[in-house]
Amino acid sequence: ISILPRPVAGQIIDPDLLRKANNGDPASMAKVAATLDSQDEAAYGKDAFSWALQAADKRDPRGCAILAYHYYKGIGTRFSLEEAIKWSTFSAINGKDGLAYWLMSHMYAENHEAYIEFITRSYGSQYPVALLFFSRLYAVGSQEFSIPKDESKSLELLDKAARSGLPTAKAITALGKLVEGSLGEEEYESIKAAGSCGIPAAQSLLAAMYCHGIGVGKDEDSEFAFYEKSSAAGDLVGIEGLADCFRIGIGVGQNQEKAFELYSKASNSSPRAKYLMACYKNEGVGTRKDAGEALRLFRESADAGYVYSQAVLGVALYSGASPAPMKNSIEAFSLLKRAIDNNEFDSLPNDLKGKVLEYASACFRYGFGAEINDEEADRLYKQSRDLNIGFSLSRPPFGLVDALSLDD
């Protein structure tokens, strides 16, 4: 997420605002600095720094925060962490400025408690970038922030961030309308504008659009290029998307070592990336084979709710296939049942669903990790037979080759 929220590129400075700034109004000086930053930091960085410095000299909290941003990023001036901390701290204490809190969360990132405190305060101040950050947390849930998964709350925060003018939030909102088939020219332009401004999240959205041919023609080269840009900026969606490109060979030659490296970077926030890492570790492709590490990664991904991990690990534990060191019907049944109850269960391919249903049926039939229930066993077995056409019963759907085909 960009640290500084930007209005749409091309916005000019209002003459009345410039007049007030020239007359010495510190709040207007800060607004001029923010506007120049939104235009082109490379071209107007020195001017924006000058206006922010003048506003900070008059102790305007937003001017102090913008000045801290310039010192922190080294835009229009030298990089100075000491100055960035000084001015952001003043702004946070005297103005409770959301940008200042957001900056401090980055500067104190190695102190986990301080990081959580400052980023939460930024959110409490309704800072647009923090609103978008928490929108994403509510979309998936976060143990780190003690936030439950709440899609309605996520959409509420996304809407607030978009209405504040944050291009990334506008781009995400636009993509939602695009998926619904109600994308207008304005929404599509929001995505393109945000991507052309170099906002990583928007670049990842553009890559996904080129991948699926949504709003644009399918273009593997463009998909790879935009994922490469957003990945370089540290966007986790972009990192995982670029990993997919190297894994499958989209716009670039297949490189499983590079794919594994990128999945590793995204795995802390993506159960799917962790699942694919487990497949690599289990097969010893792109990395050293390590069944124990594969088992750990599968379990963590499954615990995070990823249905593929729940299904595949449940099958492995029931049958004793790698990476399971031995059969474990109690844990297997728990995972198989969680997979069946998962809202994403129907997204699994039929052969994998069939195997999950078949093994869960056997657990109910013979009391493997579950109380005997012949009626439930019959119901699941019938569903399994309807799906299990052509599936090899000798080997679970497991490993890198299957991951390439199951989860493209």
Side-chain angles (χ1 to χ4, degrees):
I1 303 175
S2 298
I3 290 179
L4 192 68
R6 317 184 199 203
V8 176
Q11 180 185 34
I12 62 173
I13 299 175
D14 181 86
D16 288 337
L17 176 63
L18 189 58
R19 176 180 55 79
K20 291 178 182 178
N22 283 319
N23 287 337
D25 177 55
S28 298
M29 293 174 178
K31 289 180 181 178
V32 170
T35 303
L36 290 171
D37 278 330
S38 74
Q39 295 281 324
D40 187 335
E41 290 178 348
Y44 302 116
K46 289 184 178 180
D47 290 334
F49 172 77
S50 177
W51 282 111
L53 182 61
Q54 293 179 67
D57 283 343
K58 293 177 177 290
R59 298 302 187 263
D60 177 78
R62 174 43 61 97
C64 292
I66 296 174
L67 185 65
Y69 169 77
H70 276 260
Y71 277 121
Y72 182 67
K73 300 288 285 187
I75 298 171
T77 186
R78 73 189 190 287
F79 165 79
S80 174
L81 186 59
E82 181 181 356
E83 290 292 321
I85 292 175
K86 181 181 77 172
W87 290 108
S88 60
T89 301
F90 178 89
S91 177
I93 292 174
N94 293 278
K96 295 181 172 55
D97 189 277
L99 169 58
Y101 286 131
W102 184 261
L103 283 168
M104 292 172 75
S105 73
H106 285 69
M107 291 186 286
Y108 291 95
E110 294 184 1
N111 182 330
H112 188 260
E113 290 184 2
Y115 168 76
I116 297 293
E117 176 188 352
F118 289 131
I119 208 167
T120 302
R121 287 188 179 185
S122 182
Y123 168 61
S125 73
Q126 300 292 289
Y127 182 56
V129 175
L131 291 175
L132 178 58
F133 179 80
F134 273 79
S135 171
R136 291 175 174 174
L137 294 183
Y138 276 106
V140 297
S142 170
Q143 294 181 353
E144 182 181 25
F145 286 85
S146 300
I147 288 177
K149 183 176 181 180
D150 187 335
E151 293 184 5
S152 62
K153 183 68 174 180
S154 174
L155 292 173
E156 175 191 337
L157 294 175
L158 174 62
D159 181 61
K160 284 184 179 180
R163 285 189 282 108
S164 74
L166 187 65
T168 307
K170 292 174 68 176
I172 295 172
T173 301
L175 186 64
K177 292 185 178 180
L178 183 150
V179 172
E180 294 168 1
S182 58
L183 181 72
E185 186 64 24
E186 180 180 351
E187 287 78 18
Y188 180 55
E189 290 302 318
S190 293
I191 297 175
K192 290 198 296 183
S196 64
C197 285
I199 296 176
Q203 292 171 335
S204 292
L205 292 176
L206 280 170
M209 291 166 63
Y210 279 113
C211 172
H212 300 289
I214 301 174
V216 293
K218 286 189 177 183
D219 186 335
E220 291 190 355
D221 290 338
S222 294
E223 177 187 351
F224 175 80
F226 278 111
Y227 274 139
E228 190 172 39
K229 289 178 181 178
S230 61
S231 174
D235 183 74
L236 293 174
V237 174
I239 291 171
E240 187 171 352
L242 187 63
D244 289 341
C245 290
F246 280 110
R247 173 171 64 92
I248 302 169
I250 299 174
V252 68
Q254 284 184 306
N255 184 332
Q256 304 303 347
E257 289 79 10
K258 184 66 175 178
F260 179 82
E261 175 190 337
L262 290 165
Y263 284 130
S264 300
K265 292 181 179 180
S267 62
N268 285 338
S269 64
S270 170
R272 175 180 177 272
K274 193 164 286 187
Y275 159 78
L276 288 165
M277 283 181 66
C279 291
Y280 278 101
K281 281 289 185 181
N282 192 53
E283 294 291 321
V285 176
T287 185
R288 181 177 60 85
K289 185 172 184 176
D290 188 333
E293 180 67 2
L295 183 63
R296 181 186 69 81
L297 291 166
F298 273 121
R299 280 175 170 151
E300 289 183 2
S301 177
D303 288 343
Y306 191 58
V307 69
Y308 272 87
S309 292
Q310 293 169 344
V312 168
L313 185 56
V315 167
L317 287 166
Y318 182 92
S319 61
S322 179
M326 62 185 68
K327 293 183 179 183
N328 185 334
S329 60
I330 295 176
E331 186 180 359
F333 174 74
S334 174
L335 287 160
L336 295 169
K337 186 68 167 57
R338 284 159 62 192
I340 292 170
D341 293 340
N342 194 309
N343 291 333
E344 301 298 321
F345 182 66
D346 284 340
S347 68
L348 298 176
N350 284 346
D351 52 3
L352 180 54
K353 283 194 293 185
K355 182 56 64 178
V356 169
L357 292 165
E358 178 185 346
Y359 284 170
S361 170
C363 288
F364 278 116
R365 180 81 67 198
Y366 303 110
F368 295 156
E371 292 186 7
I372 293 176
N373 186 331
D374 287 336
E375 182 179 350
E376 185 66 5
D378 289 342
R379 185 181 71 84
L380 293 175
Y381 186 79
K382 182 179 185 305
Q383 292 181 20
S384 171
R385 293 303 87 197
D386 290 342
L387 295 170
N388 225 359
I389 299 173
F391 185 79
S392 172
L393 301 183
S394 63
R395 180 177 180 274
F398 209 82
L400 179 60
V401 175
D402 298 292
L404 289 171
S405 61
L406 293 182
D407 196 35
D408 287 349

